[in-house]
């Protein structure tokens, strides 16, 4: 029966390599999402190829993650790190390489799930040439929201907005990861097009299986420490400055044994390195150097320990369409204080799993953090409710099951209509001219 057949599918994430180290410049939630969805679907019987752009000549062309799940790095533009804002001109080469790979392997994908607006363009070009190809798209970030507060659009801005609109109106389905993101799509992008709401997930077997005391012991913290944790990239939009000011300009700084832990990687000279330098200098100016730790990029060996050790995890972002960090903290029985924006309003339930505060409101963050630090029994209650919420709605297996249903339904719908055509890589040449337009 068609509805139960598992297919060969492609996840396309031009700018977010699913096999990359996470937590550094431009490698965050999107990379984690693609890899976790890919691996979970492969474990359920799908054949999953995840396509990204090669950004380093030393990188393996193909990384096998597990049976039926691999990352394939296509050559599109120079094999070096490039900011997302300059990748657009290399997309025709990416499309061409994708078609060549498909031809060489003798396979044809039933469905592409594209990630971020750049990949949506790739998917739409592929779909022009493969009418039976199903395209599902997840934005991860909306230009329409990002640019709302900017006076002048960056050079790529108009193109991005146009591609996002055309994507929503023409692809088979767009996945919103929170009701807030869906609302933004409708009010700021287009009233047309299909939207399905399926949240992001987290690995509930990785997080939440060590006690606070044991995690602290492993990391060298004391049971009496008051640990305030940030996890994420160094990017001004993440609002780390708000957290540092909340601690530095309030009574929190006088709590004995206060530890402000700012976890995440950075590369000297790159934009995340510059933001880290800026945050470090604010820490210094506020006299917080002695109680602040920068453990660097957190990975498989210690991320779960930091979440478990913390009294509170703070997510002070100016905007998040979803935000994986809060659900990872909640899965670890740790309450979250987050900005009252985007998907954070969906994942964090105020007074139940944490607290919400207006973005950039350092005094508001200070009050919320202090309430939790001063009441360990309430901290535990919030933490346990957070774990429960994640188990119920945000495990990767439940997310993948919902995606699987969507994929199967769309593949079945399209199969009844499509007429197959021959596809040659040369057919995408004209895209190169269109890109310039
Ligand atoms: N992350 C990590 N190590 C770090 C910093 C971040 O593994 O040192 C991961 C974090 O656990 C989460 C992701 O990076 O899974 C960040 O995703 P989120 O959606 O919160 O933010 P984004 O980076 O997409 O803006």
């Amino acid at each position: 029966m068609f509805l139960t057949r598992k297919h060969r599918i492609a996840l396309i994430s031009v700018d977010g390599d699913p096999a990359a180290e996470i937590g550094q410049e431009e490698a965050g939630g999107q990379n984690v999402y693609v890899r976790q969805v890919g691996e979970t679907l492969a474990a359920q019987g799908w054949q999953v190829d995840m396509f990204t752009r090669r950004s380093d000549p030393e990188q393996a062309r193909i990384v096998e993650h597990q049976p039926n799940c691999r990352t394939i790095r296509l050559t599109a533009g120079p094999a070096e790190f490039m900011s997302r804002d300059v990748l657009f001109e290399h997309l025709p080469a990416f499309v061409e390489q994708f078609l060549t790979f498909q031809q060489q392997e003798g396979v044809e994908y039933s469905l592409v799930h594209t990630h971020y607006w750049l990949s949506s363009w790739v998917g739409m070009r592929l779909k022009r040439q493969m009418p039976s190809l199903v395209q599902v798209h997840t934005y991860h970030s909306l230009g329409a929201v990002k640019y709302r507060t900017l006076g002048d659009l960056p050079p790529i801005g108009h193109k991005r907005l146009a591609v996002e609109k055309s994507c929503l109106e023409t692809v088979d389905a767009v996945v919103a990861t929170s009701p807030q993101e869906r609302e933004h799509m409708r009010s700021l992008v287009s009233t047309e097009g299909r939207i399905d709401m399926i949240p992001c997930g987290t690995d509930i077997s990785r997080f939440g299986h060590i006690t606070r005391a044991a995690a602290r012991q492993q990391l060298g913290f004391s049971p009496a420490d008051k640990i305030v944790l940030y996890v994420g990239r160094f990017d001004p939009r993440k609002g780390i400055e708000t957290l540092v000011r909340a601690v530095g300009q309030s009574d929190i700084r006088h709590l004995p044994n206060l530890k402000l832990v700012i976890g995440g990687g950075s590369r000297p000279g790159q934009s995340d390195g510059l933001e880290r330098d800026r945050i470090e200098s604010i820490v210094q100016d506020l006299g917080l150097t002695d109680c602040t730790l920068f453990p660097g990029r957190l990975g498989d060996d210690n991320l779960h320990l930091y979440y478990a050790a913390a009294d509170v995890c703070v997510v002070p972002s100016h905007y998040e369409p979803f935000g994986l960090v809060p659900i990872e903290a909640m899965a670890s029985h740790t309450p979250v204080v987050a900005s009252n924006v985007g998907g954070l309003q969906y994942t964090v339930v105020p007074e139940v799993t944490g607290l919400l505060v207006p973005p950039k409101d350092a005094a508001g963050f200070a009050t919320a953090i202090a309430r939790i630090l001063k009441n360990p029994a309430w901290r535990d209650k919030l933490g346990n409710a957070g774990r429960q919420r994640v188990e119920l709605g945000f495990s990767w297996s439940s997310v993948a099951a919902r995606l699987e249903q969507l994929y199967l339904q769309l593949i079945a719908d399209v199969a009844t209509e499509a007429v197959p055509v021959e596809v040659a890589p040369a057919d995408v040449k004209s895209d190169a001219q269109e890109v310039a337009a």
Side-chain angles (χ1 to χ4, degrees):
M1 171 65 190
F2 200 76
L3 265 178
T4 56
R5 204 181 119 213
K6 307 286 171 88
H7 295 254
R8 182 180 285 278
I9 58 171
L11 308 186
I12 301 182
S13 177
V14 176
D15 61 302
D17 184 337
E21 285 196 335
I22 309 303
Q24 278 169 339
E25 187 173 53
E26 294 196 1
Q30 181 182 328
N31 310 56
V32 174
Y33 178 97
V34 174
R35 169 120 175 224
Q36 290 290 339
V37 165
E39 290 187 352
T40 310
L41 289 172
Q44 289 170 6
W46 295 71
Q47 292 191 47
V48 184
D49 285 338
M50 306 185 284
F51 290 87
T52 191
R53 194 187 75 88
R54 189 176 209 162
S55 61
D56 183 336
E58 302 296 312
Q59 283 172 330
R61 181 159 179 265
I62 296 185
V63 179
E64 301 273 355
H65 297 280
Q66 61 185 54
N68 292 334
C69 183
R70 55 190 178 163
T71 291
I72 295 143
R73 296 188 174 113
L74 302 179
T75 300
E80 61 190 38
F81 174 79
M82 293 168 85
S83 155
R84 290 176 180 132
D85 287 351
V86 296
L87 280 182
F88 190 71
E89 64 179 288
H90 301 295
L91 298 183
F94 194 96
V95 174
E96 197 171 334
Q97 289 289 308
F98 181 97
L99 292 171
T100 303
F101 181 88
Q102 201 178 226
Q103 214 173 40
Q104 282 168 350
E105 294 261 312
V107 299
E108 190 162 322
Y109 297 97
S110 311
L111 175 145
V112 288
H113 186 163
T114 52
H115 299 272
Y116 194 60
W117 75 275
L118 293 166
S119 306
S120 78
W121 188 92
V122 170
M124 288 189 283
R125 281 302 181 279
L126 292 172
K127 213 168 143 59
R128 274 190 191 177
Q129 307 192 42
M130 302 159 65
S132 62
L133 181 70
V134 171
Q135 183 178 3
V136 175
H137 182 69
T138 303
Y139 285 108
H140 295 279
S141 151
L142 279 172
V145 174
K146 183 176 167 186
Y147 300 149
R148 224 171 14 167
T149 50
L150 294 184
D152 291 324
L153 291 192
I156 196 67
H158 292 289
K159 175 66 80 182
R160 176 173 177 179
L161 293 176
V163 171
E164 284 182 350
K165 184 167 189 297
S166 150
C167 171
L168 178 52
E169 292 177 349
T170 62
V171 305
D172 296 285
V174 166
V175 173
T177 53
S178 64
Q180 290 74 13
E181 191 189 14
R182 176 173 52 199
E183 171 50 29
H184 279 137
M185 287 177 200
R186 280 289 174 247
S187 59
L188 301 173
V189 181
S190 178
T191 51
E192 291 170 34
R194 170 174 173 164
I195 302 175
D196 289 66
M197 209 296 284
I198 302 177
C200 296
T202 195
D203 186 346
I204 57 172
S205 60
R206 177 182 179 197
F207 300 111
H209 299 289
I210 182 164
T211 62
R212 183 168 282 109
R216 286 178 175 214
Q217 197 176 26
Q218 286 197 38
L219 292 172
F221 288 109
S222 113
D225 283 339
K226 296 286 182 196
I227 303 177
V228 178
L229 176 70
Y230 167 86
V231 173
R233 294 176 295 113
F234 282 89
D235 181 321
R237 285 191 298 276
K238 289 289 180 183
I240 308 172
E241 176 175 353
T242 307
L243 167 60
V244 174
R245 294 199 181 283
V247 172
Q249 295 169 348
S250 71
D251 288 346
I252 298 175
R253 62 179 304 154
H254 302 303
L255 287 172
N257 303 314
L258 176 75
K259 298 279 183 299
L260 173 59
V261 181
I262 302 178
S266 60
R267 299 176 215 226
Q270 302 288 341
S271 66
D272 58 350
L274 299 178
E275 175 64 358
R276 178 174 161 153
D277 292 346
R278 196 180 73 84
I279 296 297
E280 275 184 344
S281 77
I282 299 171
V283 165
Q284 209 166 20
D285 291 349
L286 293 173
L288 295 175
T289 310
D290 288 349
C291 66
T292 305
L293 286 87
F294 290 93
R297 196 185 84 80
L298 306 177
D300 285 346
D301 53 335
N302 58 4
L303 180 60
H304 63 296
L305 298 177
Y306 277 94
Y307 279 131
D311 289 282
V312 58
C313 178
V314 183
V315 186
S317 311
H318 301 169
Y319 177 68
E320 289 288 349
F322 184 82
L324 288 178
V325 165
I327 58 169
E328 291 169 358
M330 283 156 58
S332 311
H333 300 270
T334 296
V336 177
V337 172
S339 299
N340 190 10
V341 293
L344 304 177
Q345 295 169 296
Y346 170 52
T347 50
V348 179
V349 184
E351 308 288 338
V352 178
T353 70
L355 293 167
L356 291 173
V357 178
K360 303 185 190 172
D361 178 359
F365 271 91
T367 306
I369 293 166
R371 276 183 68 194
I372 293 174
L373 291 184
K374 288 177 183 166
N375 188 344
W378 190 50
R379 172 202 66 192
D380 291 347
K381 196 171 167 208
L382 295 171
N384 291 336
R387 171 75 196 183
Q388 238 176 20
R389 178 160 173 74
V390 171
E391 279 179 9
L392 283 176
F394 302 113
S395 69
W396 280 124
S397 54
S398 70
V399 170
R402 290 169 70 177
L403 286 172
E404 181 171 271
Q405 283 314 308
L406 175 66
Y407 292 174
L408 288 169
Q409 184 200 349
L410 295 173
I411 290 169
D413 289 351
V414 169
T416 56
E417 299 156 13
V419 185
V421 292
E422 276 296 309
V423 181
D427 293 348
V428 294
K429 287 267 161 63
S430 59
D431 287 340
Q433 282 111 44
E434 266 185 59
V435 157

